[in-house]
Every structure is written in structure tokens, then in C-alpha cells.
Amino acid sequence: MAKITVEHTEISVLTFENRDYICLTDMANAKENESRAADIIKNWLRNRYTIEFLGTWEMIHNPNFKVVEFDHFKMQAGLPTFTLSCSEWIEKTNAIGIIVRKGKYGGTYAHKDIAFEFGTAISVPFKLYLIEEYQRLKDDEQKLLGWSAKRELAKINYRIHTDAIKQNLIPPELTPAQKSFVYADEADMLNVAMFGQTAKQWREANPELKGNIRDYASINQLICLSNMENLNAVFINDGLPQSERLVKLNKIAIQQMQVLENVEDRKLLRDESEVSKK
């Protein structure tokens, strides 16, 4: 469950069976008070165009949709005596584009395609702002997913790195304190290869800053560090001494940073070129 705000109205977005459903009840509240929301949805559902839109959507996305029942509703739609509730539409046609929920997050929800269409019943500006806010929500989710993936990758790389240290550099007779020193020493070796200084040297040079040297690294530096952890694990398994690994990793850091920065520069130049054309 997520929330978006459209023209001062908070609207729920529910993910159900890998589809996003937007609360029509919340949307209707933007036009009238809560007691009228159900009537607004029913009036929208009585419209012949609405029935045709819903039926066409179902035929495209729902192999179990009951087309015969849909044809019956389509023939009746628009007549003064025609009434139809969302629950009846779902029950009679086996529709999946609209769902009715009870309880804490109760209300009538519709697949985003249908909810956008319902937005026109509220107002054209409302529909456009709804689409915009929904897209913003999905963009934010993608960014969060990207960062989560990066965090998980960093955890995996860290585990590969520490396992290599444990298997090759830490004798079993060492005390926990001595083992911690070995791990810290290897981490600092990467800091020197990447930043040219140890964590302690950075803290002494930046007493006003909180955290550690990696908290202030750029995204390119963090990508490079992640790669270096993997490579250092390989070098440790190959039995290379730390002094030799440090030289190799420093050269790799310089090379990879140049590649990453060149990619960003090319993208920046391309973006500026596109802006100038406009």
C-alpha cells in the first residue's frame, strides 16, 4: 500500500497480484464528500462508454472474462433503468480490473489504466495530475529498488572479501581482537588504493565530519570500491602479498575511475546538446 496526493486529496495505491490498483473511492472524494463517493462510481459505471472500456480492457488482460455477461451489460448500459454496482460487475463477468476491498484499506480499487479513465469523471486536470503523481511514485520506487540492489550487491561483495581474508590471512590461533585488526587492515588497504589515505588519516584530516571516509565517497568511488573488494578477494586467494595487491588495486582504481567519469562526461555532454537543440 502506498499513498499519492492529487490536488490535496490523498489516494491509496494497492499492489495486488503484481498489478497496481488505485482507489476510486479516494478519487471520488476529490469531487464530492465521502457520502457521495459510491454514487459517483455507480453513475460512472452506468455509462455505455465506461462499460465498453471496462469490457475491452478485460478481454485484453483477462482470459477468464465472461464476454456473454459483458454483452448483456453493454446492451443495457445507458438506459434510464440501468444500474450496476462494482461488486455485481465483478461477480457476473469475473472481472479483475476492479476489486472491492473491506476492512482497514476498504474501498473500490481499479487497475491504473481504468483509474486513469475514471479520473476524467472527476476532472481533466485531476486525471493529468493523477497520472503525473502515479509516475512519480513509480520513479521513486525504481530508485529505491536500485539502491536496495546496490546495498545487497555491496553486502555480497563484502562477504566474498571477508571470507577470502578469513580463509587465507587469519590463522585459527588468533584472538578475536587480532582477527579484527586483520579485517581492518585489509579494509584500510582498499582505502589507500582508492582514496590515498587510511580511515584514521581521513578522520584526523576531517575532525568536523561525522562517519567515515566511505560515507563521503561518490557513487563512482563506491562502485569502484565494490569491484576492488572482489578483485582483492581473488588476489588473496592467489596468494599475492598485500604490498603487491596494493599496487595492482591502485592502478585498477585509477583506470576504473577514469572510465566511470568519462561515461558521466559523455552523458552530460549529450544531455546539454539535447537541451540546446530544444
Side-chain angles (χ1 to χ4, degrees), residues 193 245-256 258:
R245 286 187 278 116
L246 174 60
V247 173
K248 284 180 173 291
L249 290 170
N250 178 247
K251 290 180 179 179
I252 291 169
I254 294 171
Q255 180 186 27
Q256 290 195 0
Q258 288 175 341

Side-chain angles (χ1 to χ4, degrees), residues 26-133:
D26 291 343
M27 292 173 61
N29 290 337
K31 187 170 186 179
E32 298 286 347
N33 58 42
E34 192 170 343
S35 62
R36 287 274 297 151
D39 291 336
I40 292 171
I41 296 173
K42 282 184 178 180
N43 289 336
W44 173 71
L45 204 56
R46 292 180 67 242
N47 185 280
R48 180 180 178 84
Y49 174 81
T50 299
I51 295 298
E52 289 184 350
F53 181 90
L54 294 177
T56 303
W57 188 94
E58 294 289 343
M59 286 189 288
I60 294 172
H61 298 94
N62 181 7
N64 298 316
F65 182 60
K66 297 179 180 179
V67 180
V68 174
E69 295 293 338
F70 159 60
D71 288 336
H72 171 73
F73 286 133
K74 186 168 65 172
M75 286 188 294
Q76 298 295 316
L79 296 177
T81 57
F82 177 68
T83 59
L84 180 65
S85 69
C86 289
S87 296
E88 185 179 4
W89 167 256
I90 296 168
E91 181 182 352
K92 297 291 186 180
T93 67
N94 200 30
I96 61 173
I98 295 178
I99 59 176
V100 178
R101 298 292 294 267
K102 297 180 180 180
K104 184 177 180 181
Y105 301 113
T108 300
Y109 291 78
H111 184 274
K112 63 180 181 65
D113 299 341
I114 299 170
F116 294 158
E117 185 64 27
F118 178 68
T120 307
I122 309 302
S123 73
V124 172
F126 184 90
K127 176 181 179 178
L128 294 173
Y129 285 125
L130 173 68
I131 295 172
E132 185 176 291
E133 286 302 307

